[in-house]
Every structure is written in C-alpha cells, then in structure tokens.
Amino acid sequence: MPARPSATALDPAIAARLKRNADGLFPAIAQQYDTGEVLMLGWMDDEALHRTLTTGRATYFSRSRREYWAKGDTSGHVQHVRSVALDCDGDTVLVKVDQVGAACHTGDRTCFDAGELAPALPAASEPSRDERSPRTADGH
C-alpha cells in the first residue's frame, strides 16, 4: 500500500469517481499533447493525482521504491501537464503533457518504441459501417 499522507487534498468529487486496484493505485497514461504520441504508463493514487493537478508536473507513485516522484526530478526530462482526463470506467487517467526530453527510463523518447508485435490474426478488410458490431454493455 502506498505511503500516503494521512489525508489527501484531492477533490472528493474526483476521488469518488476513481476505481483503484487493491493497492489503491490506477494507471496513468502519459501522451504528448500536440502529437498524440503515447509516451509511457505510470501509476497514481489520489495524492499523486492531486499533485499532478495542482503543480502542473506529472507525478506518479513508484511501486518498486514505494514513493512519489515527479517526472524529471532526477533526469530533467519533465512532463508539463496540459490536461488530465478520466476514462469512462473511472479506472485510468490520461495525462496530456508537453514532454521535455525522453519519457522512458531507458533514455528513449517513448516507452513504446521497442517494436510492434505482430497480430496473431491475418489482416482483414475493414467491415462496412453496417457490419460493425454495436458497443457492448460495458461500453467497449
């Protein structure tokens, strides 16, 4: 369980909408605000989200170090927050940022440039609008 302050300052209306895992965490996807490039995935709890919303710097919770970290504190590769959105299920946030330098701990611009994985199914032609299945009950 994250070592949180005794009381978070996160707006209760926002906190009520969040769905957290057993450790009180939820994933946060960092995306470059102007290009749409997906940069990384980090973990947040209520306090990390509060810090992100109030400081303008993307702040995460390190599961391995069990502490908060603002992106760029040690590397200089800062994420300046442009917007934060909660997904439809309330279990993931999208943090649109202006990334300074590399987003990945390896020094790469993004954590998602290690190569695409080939799909297991052969490529099919795009179904016509009438053939597309409607959204399921869970919205997906």
Side-chain angles (χ1 to χ4, degrees):
M1 189 72 95
R4 293 187 207 99
S6 58
T8 183
L10 184 63
D11 181 330
I14 295 171
R17 295 175 58 196
L18 292 169
K19 292 181 186 169
R20 303 155 190 85
N21 68 13
D23 293 323
L25 303 172
F26 47 89
I29 301 166
Q31 181 181 39
Q32 178 63 34
Y33 82 98
D34 55 353
T35 66
E37 180 181 31
V38 177
L39 301 170
M40 60 172 274
L41 180 134
W43 292 91
M44 290 185 175
D45 64 2
D46 292 25
E47 179 62 22
L49 180 56
H50 169 71
R51 292 180 187 190
T52 296
L53 293 170
T54 58
T55 67
R57 295 263 317 274
T59 302
Y60 303 96
F61 184 80
S62 170
R63 296 175 299 162
S64 60
R65 294 188 314 267
R66 318 261 336 133
E67 65 186 17
Y68 296 103
W69 57 281
K71 183 69 173 165
D73 277 352
T74 57
S75 67
H77 299 165
V78 178
Q79 291 178 343
H80 299 285
V81 176
R82 294 297 186 103
S83 67
V84 180
L86 186 59
D87 80 339
C88 60
D89 297 322
D91 61 3
T92 304
V93 294
L94 176 63
V95 184
K96 291 190 178 183
V97 301
D98 190 6
Q99 177 70 48
V100 176
C104 187
H105 71 280
T106 65
D108 289 335
R109 169 77 181 159
T110 172
C111 293
F112 296 98
D113 64 358
E116 289 188 34
L117 305 177
L121 302 174
S125 63
E126 180 70 20
S128 70
R129 184 179 184 125
D130 294 337
E131 293 173 324
R132 292 183 187 140
S133 58
R135 294 177 82 170
T136 60
D138 69 357
H140 300 282

